[in-house]
Amino acid sequence: MVGALLQPVSYQLRQLILQGWQSGPADGPLCLCLHGWLDNANSFLPLAEQLPQLQLIAIDLPGHGQSDHRSPDAHYHFLDWVDDVVQLLHLLQLHQLSANQPVVLIGHSMGGMIATAVAASFPELVSQLVLLDSVGLVTGPEQDTVSQLRKAVLSRQKRLDKRKPLYPDLVSAAQARQAQSDFDLATALLLAERGTLLDGDTLTWSADLRLREVSAYRLSDAQGCQLIESVAAPTLAIVAKQGIELMQQGRQRWQPHYQHLQLHELDAGHHLHMTHSIEVAAKISSFLASYPAKC
């Protein structure tokens, strides 16, 4: 089991600490894995089992898993996650990589969107881009700016009255997660093991409640186009036939705007990297083998 070979990692950014794990050989191609919204680094455990030749670093994004939450006066803006990842990549270059050596970014869902924005704005840091049921970005029409802002402010007010659910044990928390997802209980347990904490005699989710707030703004379509068209890195997208509607829409809207995109479709749900890790790993291995000099 790869779990026995995992090494915990911790990275001090400017304002917070990211927690995660690392697997694979120290001299293997380094791949930084970015999970989806309300998931955590353990979503990449099934892939780590199938990709022992790669050096994988999977982190909990701020507000998720075991990583720090943002300060009490902050919120979770999409572009701030881009800043977090760029800070981390610079740390990796200082301590784990040769000077100016780029890495492979692997992102699922929201993590794929973050990876896309990083690859666009900091191309020197990214050798290849792997997107798991994630194509493009979430954008919004400019005429919705006022209504988007109003919804965001109201959601922040409502959040103050919300409380996290409590569970008597880990299995109960995993069952609640499974009920909202497309995977079995064993897979839900992987996320619950890293994504829960003790609250007295019960368990609750460690994720920051502010993650559920409505975004105060969205990038415009024109801004999204500029970012995606600026991705110079070779890109692999593995999309799910039974994925969520938002990702299906993103594929149709943004696929033509990538410079170098290989796209494969699997008969799977949104968490295909967990439920179909063998097939996903094979696609990733084949893709990376096409660019040996960049790995």
Side-chain angles (χ1 to χ4, degrees):
M1 291 290 290
V2 75
L5 303 177
L6 296 181
Q7 297 293 326
V9 293
S10 181
Y11 301 100
Q12 174 68 65
L13 304 188
R14 289 191 302 267
Q15 303 294 335
L16 48 77
I17 297 175
L18 297 182
Q19 305 288 356
W21 51 256
Q22 181 173 347
S23 70
D27 59 350
L30 197 153
C31 305
L32 177 61
C33 303
L34 308 176
H35 61 77
W37 181 61
L38 295 182
D39 287 345
N40 56 60
N42 276 8
S43 69
F44 290 100
L45 284 177
L47 267 188
E49 293 257 5
Q50 305 302 327
L51 294 169
Q53 77 278 17
L54 299 180
Q55 182 183 182
L56 299 183
I57 295 178
I59 59 157
D60 300 325
L61 291 166
H64 297 77
Q66 299 174 10
S67 287
D68 284 351
H69 294 186
R70 299 209 187 278
S71 62
D73 59 340
H75 297 275
Y76 290 87
H77 300 296
F78 173 75
L79 296 181
D80 288 335
W81 274 313
V82 176
D83 182 19
D84 297 326
V85 173
V86 171
Q87 288 182 60
L88 175 55
L89 290 174
H90 284 145
L91 285 177
L92 293 175
Q93 287 193 334
L94 283 174
H95 301 294
Q96 292 186 236
L97 298 167
S98 303
N100 300 319
Q101 180 185 347
V103 306
V104 179
L105 286 186
I106 301 177
H108 170 242
S109 193
M110 182 185 76
M113 298 178 193
I114 297 168
T116 291
V118 171
S121 51
F122 290 85
E124 71 276 12
L125 299 179
V126 181
S127 58
Q128 290 95 32
L129 183 61
V130 177
L131 306 175
L132 305 173
D133 206 33
S134 177
V135 180
L137 301 165
V138 175
T139 61
E142 295 177 4
Q143 59 266 30
D144 288 350
T145 299
V146 172
S147 61
Q148 184 73 29
L149 178 58
R150 179 181 176 85
K151 290 176 185 176
V153 172
L154 291 175
S155 77
R156 292 179 183 182
Q157 295 174 357
K158 291 179 181 178
R159 190 258 308 168
L160 299 176
D161 298 323
K162 292 182 179 179
R163 297 292 181 269
K164 292 182 180 181
L166 300 176
Y167 306 98
D169 50 47
L170 192 65
V171 171
S172 298
Q175 288 172 334
R177 182 68 174 86
Q178 180 192 10
Q180 303 173 22
S181 306
D182 54 359
F183 40 62
D184 59 19
L185 182 60
T187 303
L189 276 167
L190 293 179
L191 296 175
E193 286 168 359
R194 191 171 182 90
T196 55
L197 50 77
L198 279 173
D199 184 347
D201 295 328
T202 58
L203 286 176
T204 191
W205 297 104
S206 60
D208 195 331
L209 276 174
R210 288 173 292 176
L211 292 167
R212 294 183 177 273
E213 293 174 355
V214 175
S215 299
Y217 63 86
R218 297 226 187 262
L219 296 171
S220 68
D221 282 355
Q223 289 172 317
C225 276
Q226 184 182 53
L227 279 168
I228 295 166
E229 289 173 354
S230 297
V231 176
T235 303
L236 169 69
I238 307 174
V239 299
K241 284 186 179 179
Q242 288 80 47
I244 60 179
E245 184 179 357
L246 180 66
M247 300 306 159
Q248 300 284 358
Q249 293 171 347
R251 171 187 175 180
Q252 297 191 8
R253 174 68 182 86
W254 301 114
Q255 181 178 346
H257 293 279
Y258 284 89
Q259 293 184 38
H260 310 287
L261 178 65
Q262 297 181 28
L263 189 142
H264 299 277
E265 188 175 60
L266 287 185
D267 190 9
H270 183 53
H271 286 80
L272 73 177
H273 61 311
M274 300 187 77
T275 61
H276 293 68
S277 59
I278 295 176
E279 298 96 318
V280 171
K283 297 293 186 185
I284 293 174
S285 294
S286 177
F287 171 71
L288 296 183
S290 302
Y291 304 94
K294 298 284 184 92
C295 294

